Amino acid sequence: MQEYIQFFQQNLLLSIAWVAIVVAIVFNFVKSASAKYKFISVNELTHSVNKENAVVVDIRTRDEFKQGHITNSVNVLPSDIKSGNWGTLEKHKTDPIILVCKNGQTAQENAVVLIKAGFEKVTVLKNGLVAWNEGNLPLVRGKK
């Protein structure tokens, strides 16, 4: 035990960094486990759209959306979600909502906003359109 204390004292910066990393990992696991939204795969997305009438919400910019998006997806900007301007989403509060962004990171904070606003079934496409492209699945190009 004395060796550990001596090591921590001699390598204080390294020890603090190690503790910070462990705390960050634990925090990330707790946050993921307690989130009210879930991540879904590309296969689960296609199943939800085909069998459960899920609404795919693409939260990328309008230009990115025009460059390629999932068929029948709706483009809603994150700023609109945060300000409560959901447009056509309002009528889908009880339907499954699948948020899609470029890599799955931006969609998480928007999922929290939608859940707080009363949307019941909000999910996030794991790894976003990156995963969709890796699965060689089709994208619609141009203006919807």
Side-chain angles (χ1 to χ4, degrees), residues 38-69:
K38 300 295 178 206
F39 288 99
I40 62 170
S41 68
V42 171
N43 293 334
E44 292 169 316
L45 181 145
T46 55
H47 179 270
S48 293
V49 169
N50 292 332
K51 303 292 183 189
E52 300 171 6
N53 296 323
V55 179
V56 178
V57 179
D58 192 321
I59 61 169
R60 296 174 302 140
T61 65
R62 300 209 194 289
D63 289 336
E64 290 173 326
F65 184 78
K66 288 178 187 175
Q67 290 174 2
H69 57 272

Side-chain angles (χ1 to χ4, degrees), residues 37-46 56-60 64 68-70 73 98-108 123-139:
Y37 61 88
K38 300 295 178 206
F39 288 99
I40 62 170
S41 68
V42 171
N43 293 334
E44 292 169 316
L45 181 145
T46 55
V56 178
V57 179
D58 192 321
I59 61 169
R60 296 174 302 140
E64 290 173 326
H69 57 272
I70 298 171
S73 61
I98 304 169
L99 291 175
V100 177
C101 63
K102 186 175 182 178
N103 58 17
Q105 297 301 313
T106 310
Q108 294 177 46
T123 55
V124 174
L125 177 60
K126 185 175 184 178
N127 298 325
L129 275 185
V130 171
W132 188 266
N133 288 329
E134 286 175 355
N136 292 322
L137 295 164
L139 292 174

Side-chain angles (χ1 to χ4, degrees), residues 59-110:
I59 61 169
R60 296 174 302 140
T61 65
R62 300 209 194 289
D63 289 336
E64 290 173 326
F65 184 78
K66 288 178 187 175
Q67 290 174 2
H69 57 272
I70 298 171
T71 304
N72 296 327
S73 61
V74 179
N75 185 226
V76 180
L77 297 175
S79 58
D80 291 338
I81 291 174
K82 290 175 184 168
S83 66
N85 297 328
W86 304 304
T88 59
L89 284 184
E90 186 71 38
K91 64 183 177 185
H92 295 289
K93 279 197 167 187
T94 59
D95 295 332
I97 303 287
I98 304 169
L99 291 175
V100 177
C101 63
K102 186 175 182 178
N103 58 17
Q105 297 301 313
T106 310
Q108 294 177 46
E109 60 191 57
N110 290 284

